Amino acid sequence: RDSNVGRLMSTLYRVIAELELEVQSLPAQAFGPGAVYDFFKSFRELLQSATTTLLVVDPFLDEQVFDAYLSVLNPSVTVRLHAREHAAALKPAVAAFIAQHKRAVEVRKSKRLHDRIVFIDDRSCWVLGQSIKDAAANKPTYLAPLPQDVAILKKQDYEDIWNAATPI
């Protein structure tokens, strides 16, 4: 019996290690005031890790997200953007981006948004300390992964908000 438990535990640890290598999560990062380019590079790299789906939730999301971040994504990635304040200004940028890049992008607006959060491929969830458009400009901010158990709960909450939101 003890040898079976040992073999089982060994197999579990090996599988966990293999999964961790496949997921390749970036570490949490902090950015001081003025570290705009460092944030840009890190956030862009994070978004580029998406292979199937990307959900970006940011109440103050604006059209700069297309040039700065979305234009470098794999064409097969389905993008959903969830905004609040500047959602109407996103409409022409979305239309132009879709026309040029021929990719799936959907934008919705909701007054229920507060957090800045990114869901990548239903496998990881990241929180941001500030809005993407102002990150690290004048105040410190962060980019941090949420534990999987919390990420699952957050994802369900934001799917509910998304489903009730107004399409742009």
Side-chain angles (χ1 to χ4, degrees), residues 4-149:
N4 287 339
V5 170
R7 273 189 267 151
L8 179 62
M9 293 306 291
S10 176
T11 302
L12 284 174
Y13 287 128
R14 184 175 37 80
V15 169
I16 289 170
E18 288 172 4
L19 288 172
E20 286 174 344
L21 286 174
E22 283 181 32
V23 172
Q24 295 183 358
S25 180
L26 300 171
Q29 297 179 40
F31 307 90
V36 177
Y37 185 70
D38 291 340
F39 175 84
F40 166 81
K41 283 187 348 185
S42 295
F43 192 62
R44 189 173 172 143
E45 183 180 326
L46 175 64
L47 296 187
Q48 281 181 301
S49 73
T51 58
T52 57
T53 61
L54 178 67
L55 172 58
V56 178
V57 177
D58 185 339
F60 300 98
L61 197 63
D62 65 9
E63 64 276 0
Q64 68 124 5
V65 73
F66 293 99
D67 292 336
Y69 303 107
L70 301 183
S71 61
V72 297
L73 292 179
N74 182 317
S76 64
V77 175
T78 300
V79 177
R80 295 186 297 159
L81 304 174
H82 208 161
R84 184 180 70 208
E85 300 303 320
H86 307 290
L90 286 170
K91 192 170 187 172
V94 170
F97 187 82
I98 291 171
Q100 179 174 333
H101 293 279
K102 310 288 189 252
R103 68 172 344 137
V105 177
E106 189 176 356
V107 180
R108 293 194 182 184
K109 177 182 180 176
S110 176
K111 296 270 187 213
R112 295 176 54 198
L113 300 182
H114 175 73
D115 294 339
R116 281 111 9 225
I117 195 161
V118 175
F119 298 94
I120 298 174
D121 296 338
D122 293 325
R123 65 171 162 77
S124 67
C125 174
W126 294 74
V127 293
L128 292 77
Q130 288 182 311
S131 180
I132 296 165
K133 71 179 191 65
D134 298 322
N138 299 309
K139 299 174 185 170
T141 194
Y142 57 87
L143 182 57
L146 288 179
Q148 192 63 27
D149 56 336

